[in-house]
Amino acid sequence: MSDPSSGCAPYRTAVTEAEAEALIRGICFKTGPPRLLGVEIEWLVHELRDPRLPVSRERLEAAYAALREVPLRSALTVEPGGQLELSSPPAASLTKCLTTVSADLDAVRAVLRRDGLGLAGLGHDPWQVPRRFLRQPRYDAMEAALDRTGAAGRYMMCTSASVQVCVDAGQEEPGPLGHVRRWWMAHLLGAVLVAVFANSPLSAGRPTGWLSTRQLRWAQIGAGRAGAPALDADPR
């Protein structure tokens, strides 16, 4: 907590539930004609000589230091297990979004290739066990919370990757472009998209019985945290 006499606002480590709800209503469900879209793409980083070998922390740190010197349009971030993520800027068309991200991916791959590393577009690492690369309070808290229901949370955090499509919420009023209809449609299409893009049948080198082991991890985390929302109420 800061000194009140300093004139600075006090620093708080938590927000109330009402404050969080207000933020979600005002930011995540800001309504208007849907115009922009974007994408966040996560990748597993593997050794090119043998993807079954774990990539050491030192090699990942050196690779990411080199990548931060590369001019990219997309934001480059790192996931808890060392996965690489590119988040595109908002785009007015699908073509513009794909063009931007494809160019950034080419640049990233070229830098990693010089270090003997490559990107794997899989939903779940077929060989590696969970290993934390990032040590940050938010991920420490997430790991502790998810550990209450088993190891699936660590697998999700450290050995999985995904494509996350970002779209505007939509208009306030009912209709095809209304935010309620678009929210329902996105979740109804979820099972279809999981099936279409399922590409991760292995964990620790063995079949899991699922074509999407990433989805298995979410199911193991539990419907209370990772299940689909009820579609009979205001999304907010």
Side-chain angles (χ1 to χ4, degrees), residues 187-200:
H187 285 93
L188 291 173
L189 287 172
V192 178
L193 295 174
V194 167
V196 169
F197 293 100
N199 67 351
S200 53

Side-chain angles (χ1 to χ4, degrees), residues 38-41 73-77 85-90 101 104 164:
V39 68
E40 301 172 20
I41 50 175
R73 290 287 312 282
S74 304
L76 187 148
T77 52
E85 180 176 35
L86 288 176
S87 301
S88 75
V101 175
D104 288 342
Q164 301 160 24

Side-chain angles (χ1 to χ4, degrees), residues 131-190:
R131 222 171 20 124
R132 281 280 299 281
F133 174 75
L134 291 184
R135 288 291 173 184
Q136 296 178 356
R138 62 176 292 196
Y139 293 127
D140 291 344
M142 183 187 296
E143 182 179 274
L146 294 177
D147 277 351
R148 296 170 189 162
T149 55
R154 295 194 181 209
Y155 276 94
M156 180 276 295
M157 291 174 62
C158 299
T159 65
S160 76
S162 70
V163 176
Q164 301 160 24
V165 179
C166 309
V167 295
D168 287 331
Q171 296 176 335
E172 187 69 34
E173 62 271 15
L177 297 182
H179 75 280
V180 175
R181 183 183 175 95
R182 285 163 61 82
W183 172 260
W184 289 354
M185 185 62 70
H187 285 93
L188 291 173
L189 287 172

Side-chain angles (χ1 to χ4, degrees), residues 13-153:
T13 59
V15 296
T16 67
E17 185 173 337
E19 289 171 330
E21 182 178 345
L23 182 66
I24 291 170
R25 282 178 172 269
I27 301 298
C28 301
F29 282 96
K30 185 182 295 181
T31 53
R35 296 186 305 110
L36 302 177
L37 56 89
V39 68
E40 301 172 20
I41 50 175
E42 299 171 348
W43 301 83
L44 304 171
V45 181
H46 284 166
E47 293 278 2
L48 286 176
R49 59 194 173 98
D50 187 346
R52 294 169 298 181
L53 297 175
V55 181
S56 70
R57 169 178 291 274
E58 292 73 24
R59 281 172 57 71
L60 278 178
E61 289 175 343
Y64 286 129
L67 286 173
R68 290 189 179 95
E69 301 300 318
V70 178
L72 302 171
R73 290 287 312 282
S74 304
L76 187 148
T77 52
V78 184
E79 292 296 298
Q83 308 96 310
L84 181 147
E85 180 176 35
L86 288 176
S87 301
S88 75
S93 72
L94 181 59
T95 300
K96 178 66 174 176
C97 182
L98 290 175
T99 300
T100 298
V101 175
S102 294
D104 288 342
L105 268 177
D106 288 343
V108 166
R109 283 192 171 107
V111 171
L112 292 178
R113 194 178 303 116
R114 291 200 298 266
D115 291 330
L117 300 174
L119 299 178
L122 301 172
H124 193 281
D125 198 301
W127 301 290
Q128 305 306 320
V129 297
R131 222 171 20 124
R132 281 280 299 281
F133 174 75
L134 291 184
R135 288 291 173 184
Q136 296 178 356
R138 62 176 292 196
Y139 293 127
D140 291 344
M142 183 187 296
E143 182 179 274
L146 294 177
D147 277 351
R148 296 170 189 162
T149 55

